[in-house]
Amino acid sequence: MTTLYFIRHGKTVWNDEGRFQGASGDSPLLKESMVQIELLGQHLADLDFDHAFTSPIKRAKTTAELTIKELKRPPLLTELPGLIEFGMGVWEGMAFTDVKAEWPAMYDAYRHHPEKFDSSLVQGSESFAQVEARFVKAVQAVVAEYGGPDKTLIFFSHGMVLTAGMGALLKIPLTEIRARGGLGNTSTSVLTTDDGENFAELVRNDTSYLGIKADASNTI
């Protein structure tokens, strides 16, 4: 069995300000995030990871590098483009409130009803189907190459691509992937697989090691 740990990056300035970051937008990690990432690393410190993978986007890659420093047996870290965040096109850098005002139906769809999200109405945006497909392809390729009996892998990525992508791995219908809410910054989710095709969920959105309460600014 292969065990897969999925980590959402630490909280950023734009997270705090309520802005879309997406695949091309980015902002620095907050100072408080450095402490939280250290706590994450300490929480995972005794585990043996056979390999680590990260989105190439700075906020995720920095989270990965800082986490790995805390591990007693640091694995090699490889960039994996399939882990990049949902490409939001013209929404990237915009405040949630401004997007909601200008694209009320699409904002509601993105947040609550992904099956109704029409990427053709948001210039430059990916669709949920595209995001799920590239995430699943990337993870399955990694499992095929690095997975196996008693193998443990760790992935550092982003809130919406993890929500959609893990949902796809678990074969959760698009209509239901938002039903359990979002994922917190610096959260841990854990899946397992025996064959790289069928996945089971052991843990979702664990942030207990951070000692903080979830709020809208650190959950997506």
Short mmCIF file of all heavy atoms in Angstrom, two decimals, residues 86-140:
data_model
loop_
_atom_site.label_atom_id
_atom_site.label_comp_id
_atom_site.label_asym_id
_atom_site.label_seq_id
_atom_site.Cartn_x
_atom_site.Cartn_y
_atom_site.Cartn_z
N PHE A 86 -5.39 25.94 -9.20
CA PHE A 86 -6.44 26.18 -10.19
C PHE A 86 -6.15 27.51 -10.89
O PHE A 86 -6.03 28.55 -10.25
CB PHE A 86 -7.77 26.26 -9.44
CG PHE A 86 -9.01 26.05 -10.26
CD1 PHE A 86 -9.90 25.05 -9.92
CD2 PHE A 86 -9.32 26.86 -11.34
CE1 PHE A 86 -11.09 24.85 -10.63
CE2 PHE A 86 -10.48 26.68 -12.07
CZ PHE A 86 -11.36 25.66 -11.72
N GLY A 87 -6.00 27.49 -12.19
CA GLY A 87 -5.77 28.72 -12.95
C GLY A 87 -7.04 29.55 -13.03
O GLY A 87 -8.02 29.12 -13.65
N MET A 88 -7.03 30.75 -12.43
CA MET A 88 -8.25 31.55 -12.34
C MET A 88 -8.29 32.72 -13.32
O MET A 88 -9.20 33.54 -13.27
CB MET A 88 -8.42 32.08 -10.91
CG MET A 88 -8.65 30.99 -9.86
SD MET A 88 -9.90 29.78 -10.35
CE MET A 88 -11.29 30.81 -10.74
N GLY A 89 -7.32 32.80 -14.22
CA GLY A 89 -7.37 33.82 -15.26
C GLY A 89 -7.49 35.23 -14.71
O GLY A 89 -6.72 35.64 -13.84
N VAL A 90 -8.49 35.97 -15.20
CA VAL A 90 -8.65 37.38 -14.84
C VAL A 90 -8.99 37.59 -13.37
O VAL A 90 -8.87 38.71 -12.86
CB VAL A 90 -9.72 38.08 -15.72
CG1 VAL A 90 -9.27 38.13 -17.17
CG2 VAL A 90 -11.07 37.38 -15.59
N TRP A 91 -9.40 36.55 -12.67
CA TRP A 91 -9.71 36.70 -11.25
C TRP A 91 -8.45 36.80 -10.39
O TRP A 91 -8.52 37.26 -9.25
CB TRP A 91 -10.52 35.50 -10.75
CG TRP A 91 -11.95 35.48 -11.22
CD1 TRP A 91 -12.55 36.32 -12.12
CD2 TRP A 91 -12.97 34.56 -10.81
NE1 TRP A 91 -13.86 35.98 -12.30
CE2 TRP A 91 -14.15 34.89 -11.51
CE3 TRP A 91 -12.98 33.49 -9.93
CZ2 TRP A 91 -15.34 34.18 -11.34
CZ3 TRP A 91 -14.16 32.77 -9.76
CH2 TRP A 91 -15.33 33.12 -10.46
N GLU A 92 -7.32 36.35 -10.90
CA GLU A 92 -6.11 36.29 -10.08
C GLU A 92 -5.67 37.68 -9.64
O GLU A 92 -5.52 38.59 -10.46
CB GLU A 92 -5.01 35.55 -10.83
CG GLU A 92 -5.38 34.07 -11.03
CD GLU A 92 -4.34 33.26 -11.75
OE1 GLU A 92 -3.24 33.78 -12.03
OE2 GLU A 92 -4.62 32.06 -12.03
N GLY A 93 -5.49 37.84 -8.35
CA GLY A 93 -5.14 39.13 -7.76
C GLY A 93 -6.34 39.95 -7.32
O GLY A 93 -6.20 40.93 -6.59
N MET A 94 -7.54 39.56 -7.77
CA MET A 94 -8.74 40.30 -7.42
C MET A 94 -9.26 39.89 -6.04
O MET A 94 -9.13 38.73 -5.62
CB MET A 94 -9.84 40.08 -8.46
CG MET A 94 -9.55 40.67 -9.83
SD MET A 94 -10.98 40.50 -10.97
CE MET A 94 -12.20 41.55 -10.14
N ALA A 95 -9.89 40.84 -5.36
CA ALA A 95 -10.53 40.55 -4.08
C ALA A 95 -11.78 39.69 -4.31
O ALA A 95 -12.49 39.85 -5.31
CB ALA A 95 -10.91 41.84 -3.37
N PHE A 96 -12.03 38.78 -3.37
CA PHE A 96 -13.23 37.94 -3.48
C PHE A 96 -14.48 38.80 -3.61
O PHE A 96 -15.39 38.47 -4.39
CB PHE A 96 -13.37 37.04 -2.24
CG PHE A 96 -12.24 36.07 -2.03
CD1 PHE A 96 -11.96 35.61 -0.75
CD2 PHE A 96 -11.47 35.60 -3.08
CE1 PHE A 96 -10.94 34.71 -0.53
CE2 PHE A 96 -10.44 34.70 -2.88
CZ PHE A 96 -10.17 34.26 -1.59
N THR A 97 -14.55 39.89 -2.86
CA THR A 97 -15.74 40.73 -2.89
C THR A 97 -15.95 41.36 -4.27
O THR A 97 -17.10 41.50 -4.72
CB THR A 97 -15.64 41.84 -1.83
OG1 THR A 97 -14.37 42.52 -1.99
CG2 THR A 97 -15.73 41.26 -0.43
N ASP A 98 -14.87 41.73 -4.95
CA ASP A 98 -14.99 42.33 -6.28
C ASP A 98 -15.41 41.29 -7.31
O ASP A 98 -16.22 41.57 -8.21
CB ASP A 98 -13.67 42.97 -6.70
CG ASP A 98 -13.32 44.19 -5.85
OD1 ASP A 98 -14.25 44.80 -5.28
OD2 ASP A 98 -12.13 44.53 -5.77
N VAL A 99 -14.86 40.08 -7.20
CA VAL A 99 -15.25 39.00 -8.11
C VAL A 99 -16.72 38.66 -7.91
O VAL A 99 -17.48 38.50 -8.88
CB VAL A 99 -14.37 37.76 -7.88
CG1 VAL A 99 -14.93 36.56 -8.66
CG2 VAL A 99 -12.94 38.04 -8.31
N LYS A 100 -17.14 38.59 -6.66
CA LYS A 100 -18.54 38.27 -6.36
C LYS A 100 -19.48 39.32 -6.92
O LYS A 100 -20.57 39.00 -7.41
CB LYS A 100 -18.72 38.15 -4.85
CG LYS A 100 -20.11 37.68 -4.42
CD LYS A 100 -20.18 37.51 -2.91
CE LYS A 100 -21.55 37.02 -2.48
NZ LYS A 100 -21.61 36.83 -1.00
N ALA A 101 -19.06 40.58 -6.90
CA ALA A 101 -19.90 41.66 -7.41
C ALA A 101 -20.01 41.63 -8.93
O ALA A 101 -21.07 41.91 -9.49
CB ALA A 101 -19.34 43.01 -6.95
N GLU A 102 -18.90 41.28 -9.61
CA GLU A 102 -18.88 41.33 -11.08
C GLU A 102 -19.33 40.03 -11.73
O GLU A 102 -19.91 40.04 -12.81
CB GLU A 102 -17.47 41.69 -11.56
CG GLU A 102 -17.41 42.00 -13.06
CD GLU A 102 -16.10 42.63 -13.47
OE1 GLU A 102 -15.32 43.05 -12.58
OE2 GLU A 102 -15.85 42.73 -14.69
N TRP A 103 -19.05 38.89 -11.07
CA TRP A 103 -19.41 37.57 -11.60
C TRP A 103 -20.19 36.79 -10.52
O TRP A 103 -19.71 35.75 -10.06
CB TRP A 103 -18.17 36.78 -11.97
CG TRP A 103 -17.36 37.25 -13.14
CD1 TRP A 103 -17.52 36.90 -14.45
CD2 TRP A 103 -16.20 38.11 -13.09
NE1 TRP A 103 -16.54 37.49 -15.22
CE2 TRP A 103 -15.72 38.24 -14.42
CE3 TRP A 103 -15.53 38.77 -12.08
CZ2 TRP A 103 -14.60 39.01 -14.74
CZ3 TRP A 103 -14.42 39.55 -12.39
CH2 TRP A 103 -13.97 39.66 -13.70
N PRO A 104 -21.33 37.26 -10.07
CA PRO A 104 -22.00 36.62 -8.93
C PRO A 104 -22.31 35.14 -9.14
O PRO A 104 -22.10 34.33 -8.24
CB PRO A 104 -23.28 37.45 -8.76
CG PRO A 104 -23.47 38.16 -10.07
CD PRO A 104 -22.10 38.40 -10.60
N ALA A 105 -22.79 34.79 -10.33
CA ALA A 105 -23.16 33.39 -10.58
C ALA A 105 -21.93 32.49 -10.62
O ALA A 105 -21.93 31.40 -10.05
CB ALA A 105 -23.94 33.27 -11.88
N MET A 106 -20.87 32.94 -11.29
CA MET A 106 -19.66 32.13 -11.41
C MET A 106 -18.91 32.06 -10.07
O MET A 106 -18.31 31.04 -9.74
CB MET A 106 -18.76 32.66 -12.51
CG MET A 106 -19.27 32.38 -13.92
SD MET A 106 -19.60 30.62 -14.25
CE MET A 106 -21.37 30.49 -13.93
N TYR A 107 -18.94 33.12 -9.31
CA TYR A 107 -18.31 33.09 -7.98
C TYR A 107 -19.02 32.06 -7.10
O TYR A 107 -18.37 31.25 -6.43
CB TYR A 107 -18.37 34.47 -7.33
CG TYR A 107 -17.78 34.51 -5.94
CD1 TYR A 107 -16.42 34.70 -5.75
CD2 TYR A 107 -18.59 34.34 -4.80
CE1 TYR A 107 -15.87 34.72 -4.46
CE2 TYR A 107 -18.05 34.35 -3.52
CZ TYR A 107 -16.69 34.55 -3.36
OH TYR A 107 -16.15 34.56 -2.10
N ASP A 108 -20.35 32.09 -7.11
CA ASP A 108 -21.12 31.14 -6.31
C ASP A 108 -20.86 29.71 -6.79
O ASP A 108 -20.72 28.79 -5.97
CB ASP A 108 -22.60 31.46 -6.40
CG ASP A 108 -23.45 30.51 -5.57
OD1 ASP A 108 -23.37 30.59 -4.33
OD2 ASP A 108 -24.16 29.67 -6.16
N ALA A 109 -20.77 29.53 -8.10
CA ALA A 109 -20.50 28.19 -8.64
C ALA A 109 -19.13 27.70 -8.20
O ALA A 109 -18.98 26.55 -7.76
CB ALA A 109 -20.59 28.22 -10.17
N TYR A 110 -18.13 28.55 -8.31
CA TYR A 110 -16.77 28.17 -7.94
C TYR A 110 -16.69 27.79 -6.46
O TYR A 110 -16.04 26.81 -6.10
CB TYR A 110 -15.82 29.34 -8.24
CG TYR A 110 -14.37 29.08 -7.88
CD1 TYR A 110 -13.54 28.33 -8.71
CD2 TYR A 110 -13.84 29.58 -6.69
CE1 TYR A 110 -12.22 28.09 -8.38
CE2 TYR A 110 -12.51 29.34 -6.36
CZ TYR A 110 -11.70 28.61 -7.20
OH TYR A 110 -10.39 28.38 -6.87
N ARG A 111 -17.37 28.56 -5.63
CA ARG A 111 -17.32 28.33 -4.19
C ARG A 111 -18.19 27.17 -3.72
O ARG A 111 -17.81 26.43 -2.82
CB ARG A 111 -17.77 29.60 -3.46
CG ARG A 111 -16.77 30.73 -3.48
CD ARG A 111 -15.55 30.39 -2.67
NE ARG A 111 -14.73 31.56 -2.38
CZ ARG A 111 -13.57 31.48 -1.73
NH1 ARG A 111 -13.11 30.32 -1.32
NH2 ARG A 111 -12.86 32.57 -1.50
N HIS A 112 -19.37 27.02 -4.33
CA HIS A 112 -20.36 26.11 -3.76
C HIS A 112 -20.92 25.07 -4.72
O HIS A 112 -21.37 24.01 -4.28
CB HIS A 112 -21.53 26.92 -3.19
CG HIS A 112 -21.11 27.97 -2.21
ND1 HIS A 112 -20.56 27.67 -0.99
CD2 HIS A 112 -21.15 29.33 -2.30
CE1 HIS A 112 -20.28 28.80 -0.34
NE2 HIS A 112 -20.63 29.82 -1.11
N HIS A 113 -20.91 25.33 -6.02
CA HIS A 113 -21.52 24.42 -6.99
C HIS A 113 -20.61 24.25 -8.19
O HIS A 113 -20.89 24.74 -9.29
CB HIS A 113 -22.88 24.98 -7.44
CG HIS A 113 -23.81 25.29 -6.31
ND1 HIS A 113 -24.46 24.31 -5.59
CD2 HIS A 113 -24.18 26.49 -5.76
CE1 HIS A 113 -25.21 24.88 -4.65
NE2 HIS A 113 -25.05 26.19 -4.73
N PRO A 114 -19.48 23.54 -8.02
CA PRO A 114 -18.48 23.46 -9.10
C PRO A 114 -19.02 22.90 -10.41
O PRO A 114 -18.50 23.23 -11.47
CB PRO A 114 -17.40 22.55 -8.51
CG PRO A 114 -17.88 22.08 -7.20
CD PRO A 114 -19.06 22.86 -6.80
N GLU A 115 -20.06 22.08 -10.34
CA GLU A 115 -20.63 21.54 -11.57
C GLU A 115 -21.26 22.63 -12.43
O GLU A 115 -21.48 22.43 -13.64
CB GLU A 115 -21.66 20.45 -11.24
CG GLU A 115 -23.00 20.94 -10.73
CD GLU A 115 -22.99 21.33 -9.24
OE1 GLU A 115 -21.92 21.29 -8.62
OE2 GLU A 115 -24.08 21.68 -8.73
N LYS A 116 -21.53 23.80 -11.85
CA LYS A 116 -22.12 24.91 -12.59
C LYS A 116 -21.08 25.94 -13.05
O LYS A 116 -21.44 26.91 -13.73
CB LYS A 116 -23.17 25.61 -11.72
CG LYS A 116 -24.35 24.72 -11.33
CD LYS A 116 -25.34 25.48 -10.46
CE LYS A 116 -26.52 24.60 -10.05
NZ LYS A 116 -27.49 25.35 -9.20
N PHE A 117 -19.82 25.73 -12.68
CA PHE A 117 -18.78 26.70 -13.05
C PHE A 117 -18.46 26.57 -14.53
O PHE A 117 -18.11 25.51 -15.02
CB PHE A 117 -17.52 26.48 -12.21
CG PHE A 117 -16.43 27.48 -12.50
CD1 PHE A 117 -16.50 28.77 -11.99
CD2 PHE A 117 -15.35 27.13 -13.28
CE1 PHE A 117 -15.50 29.69 -12.26
CE2 PHE A 117 -14.34 28.04 -13.56
CZ PHE A 117 -14.42 29.33 -13.04
N ASP A 118 -18.57 27.69 -15.25
CA ASP A 118 -18.32 27.73 -16.70
C ASP A 118 -17.06 28.55 -16.93
O ASP A 118 -17.08 29.78 -16.89
CB ASP A 118 -19.52 28.35 -17.42
CG ASP A 118 -19.38 28.33 -18.93
OD1 ASP A 118 -18.28 28.03 -19.43
OD2 ASP A 118 -20.38 28.63 -19.62
N SER A 119 -15.95 27.88 -17.19
CA SER A 119 -14.67 28.58 -17.34
C SER A 119 -14.66 29.51 -18.55
O SER A 119 -13.86 30.46 -18.59
CB SER A 119 -13.53 27.57 -17.46
OG SER A 119 -13.72 26.71 -18.57
N SER A 120 -15.53 29.30 -19.51
CA SER A 120 -15.57 30.18 -20.69
C SER A 120 -16.05 31.58 -20.33
O SER A 120 -15.85 32.53 -21.10
CB SER A 120 -16.47 29.58 -21.77
OG SER A 120 -17.84 29.62 -21.39
N LEU A 121 -16.68 31.73 -19.17
CA LEU A 121 -17.17 33.03 -18.72
C LEU A 121 -16.15 33.78 -17.87
O LEU A 121 -16.40 34.92 -17.46
CB LEU A 121 -18.47 32.86 -17.94
CG LEU A 121 -19.64 32.21 -18.71
CD1 LEU A 121 -20.85 32.07 -17.81
CD2 LEU A 121 -19.98 33.01 -19.96
N VAL A 122 -15.01 33.13 -17.58
CA VAL A 122 -13.94 33.74 -16.79
C VAL A 122 -12.67 33.64 -17.63
O VAL A 122 -12.03 32.59 -17.68
CB VAL A 122 -13.75 33.02 -15.44
CG1 VAL A 122 -12.66 33.71 -14.62
CG2 VAL A 122 -15.06 32.99 -14.66
N GLN A 123 -12.32 34.72 -18.29
CA GLN A 123 -11.22 34.70 -19.26
C GLN A 123 -9.94 34.15 -18.64
O GLN A 123 -9.47 34.60 -17.62
CB GLN A 123 -10.96 36.11 -19.78
CG GLN A 123 -9.91 36.17 -20.89
CD GLN A 123 -9.70 37.59 -21.40
OE1 GLN A 123 -10.38 38.52 -20.99
NE2 GLN A 123 -8.75 37.75 -22.30
N GLY A 124 -9.37 33.14 -19.32
CA GLY A 124 -8.11 32.57 -18.89
C GLY A 124 -8.21 31.50 -17.83
O GLY A 124 -7.19 30.94 -17.41
N SER A 125 -9.43 31.18 -17.39
CA SER A 125 -9.60 30.21 -16.31
C SER A 125 -9.57 28.77 -16.82
O SER A 125 -9.97 28.48 -17.96
CB SER A 125 -10.94 30.46 -15.60
OG SER A 125 -11.22 29.43 -14.69
N GLU A 126 -9.12 27.88 -15.96
CA GLU A 126 -9.27 26.45 -16.21
C GLU A 126 -10.69 26.02 -15.80
O GLU A 126 -11.37 26.73 -15.06
CB GLU A 126 -8.28 25.65 -15.37
CG GLU A 126 -6.83 25.78 -15.78
CD GLU A 126 -5.93 24.89 -14.93
OE1 GLU A 126 -5.59 25.31 -13.82
OE2 GLU A 126 -5.58 23.79 -15.40
N SER A 127 -11.07 24.86 -16.25
CA SER A 127 -12.31 24.25 -15.79
C SER A 127 -12.00 23.26 -14.68
O SER A 127 -10.85 22.82 -14.52
CB SER A 127 -13.02 23.52 -16.93
OG SER A 127 -12.25 22.37 -17.32
N PHE A 128 -13.01 22.89 -13.91
CA PHE A 128 -12.79 21.88 -12.87
C PHE A 128 -12.34 20.56 -13.49
O PHE A 128 -11.50 19.86 -12.92
CB PHE A 128 -14.06 21.70 -12.03
CG PHE A 128 -14.17 22.66 -10.90
CD1 PHE A 128 -14.79 23.91 -11.08
CD2 PHE A 128 -13.67 22.36 -9.65
CE1 PHE A 128 -14.89 24.81 -10.04
CE2 PHE A 128 -13.78 23.27 -8.59
CZ PHE A 128 -14.39 24.50 -8.79
N ALA A 129 -12.89 20.22 -14.64
CA ALA A 129 -12.52 18.97 -15.30
C ALA A 129 -11.04 18.98 -15.68
O ALA A 129 -10.34 17.97 -15.52
CB ALA A 129 -13.39 18.75 -16.54
N GLN A 130 -10.55 20.10 -16.18
CA GLN A 130 -9.14 20.20 -16.55
C GLN A 130 -8.23 20.07 -15.32
O GLN A 130 -7.22 19.37 -15.35
CB GLN A 130 -8.87 21.54 -17.24
CG GLN A 130 -9.45 21.64 -18.64
CD GLN A 130 -9.33 23.05 -19.21
OE1 GLN A 130 -9.49 24.03 -18.49
NE2 GLN A 130 -9.05 23.14 -20.50
N VAL A 131 -8.61 20.73 -14.24
CA VAL A 131 -7.81 20.70 -13.02
C VAL A 131 -7.78 19.29 -12.43
O VAL A 131 -6.71 18.78 -12.06
CB VAL A 131 -8.36 21.70 -11.99
CG1 VAL A 131 -7.71 21.51 -10.63
CG2 VAL A 131 -8.15 23.13 -12.48
N GLU A 132 -8.93 18.66 -12.37
CA GLU A 132 -8.98 17.29 -11.84
C GLU A 132 -8.13 16.35 -12.69
O GLU A 132 -7.38 15.52 -12.15
CB GLU A 132 -10.42 16.80 -11.78
CG GLU A 132 -11.25 17.44 -10.68
CD GLU A 132 -12.63 16.81 -10.56
OE1 GLU A 132 -13.13 16.25 -11.55
OE2 GLU A 132 -13.20 16.88 -9.47
N ALA A 133 -8.23 16.48 -14.00
CA ALA A 133 -7.52 15.57 -14.90
C ALA A 133 -6.01 15.69 -14.75
O ALA A 133 -5.30 14.68 -14.68
CB ALA A 133 -7.94 15.83 -16.34
N ARG A 134 -5.49 16.93 -14.69
CA ARG A 134 -4.03 17.08 -14.61
C ARG A 134 -3.51 16.65 -13.24
O ARG A 134 -2.41 16.09 -13.13
CB ARG A 134 -3.60 18.50 -14.95
CG ARG A 134 -4.04 19.60 -14.01
CD ARG A 134 -3.26 20.88 -14.31
NE ARG A 134 -3.84 22.08 -13.71
CZ ARG A 134 -3.68 22.45 -12.45
NH1 ARG A 134 -2.99 21.69 -11.62
NH2 ARG A 134 -4.23 23.58 -12.01
N PHE A 135 -4.29 16.90 -12.19
CA PHE A 135 -3.88 16.48 -10.84
C PHE A 135 -3.84 14.96 -10.74
O PHE A 135 -2.85 14.38 -10.27
CB PHE A 135 -4.85 17.07 -9.81
CG PHE A 135 -4.49 16.77 -8.39
CD1 PHE A 135 -3.71 17.65 -7.66
CD2 PHE A 135 -4.94 15.61 -7.75
CE1 PHE A 135 -3.37 17.40 -6.33
CE2 PHE A 135 -4.61 15.35 -6.43
CZ PHE A 135 -3.83 16.24 -5.72
N VAL A 136 -4.90 14.31 -11.18
CA VAL A 136 -4.97 12.85 -11.13
C VAL A 136 -3.85 12.23 -11.96
O VAL A 136 -3.18 11.28 -11.51
CB VAL A 136 -6.34 12.35 -11.60
CG1 VAL A 136 -6.33 10.84 -11.81
CG2 VAL A 136 -7.42 12.73 -10.60
N LYS A 137 -3.61 12.74 -13.14
CA LYS A 137 -2.55 12.22 -14.00
C LYS A 137 -1.19 12.32 -13.31
O LYS A 137 -0.39 11.38 -13.33
CB LYS A 137 -2.53 12.98 -15.32
CG LYS A 137 -1.47 12.50 -16.30
CD LYS A 137 -1.52 13.29 -17.61
CE LYS A 137 -0.45 12.81 -18.58
NZ LYS A 137 -0.49 13.59 -19.86
N ALA A 138 -0.93 13.47 -12.68
CA ALA A 138 0.35 13.68 -12.00
C ALA A 138 0.52 12.73 -10.83
O ALA A 138 1.59 12.11 -10.65
CB ALA A 138 0.46 15.14 -11.53
N VAL A 139 -0.50 12.61 -10.00
CA VAL A 139 -0.41 11.76 -8.81
C VAL A 139 -0.29 10.29 -9.21
O VAL A 139 0.53 9.54 -8.64
CB VAL A 139 -1.61 11.98 -7.88
CG1 VAL A 139 -1.63 10.94 -6.76
CG2 VAL A 139 -1.57 13.39 -7.29
N GLN A 140 -1.06 9.86 -10.19
CA GLN A 140 -0.99 8.47 -10.61
C GLN A 140 0.38 8.13 -11.20
O GLN A 140 0.91 7.02 -10.97
CB GLN A 140 -2.10 8.16 -11.61
CG GLN A 140 -3.48 8.10 -10.98
CD GLN A 140 -4.58 7.75 -11.97
OE1 GLN A 140 -4.48 8.06 -13.17
NE2 GLN A 140 -5.63 7.12 -11.49
#
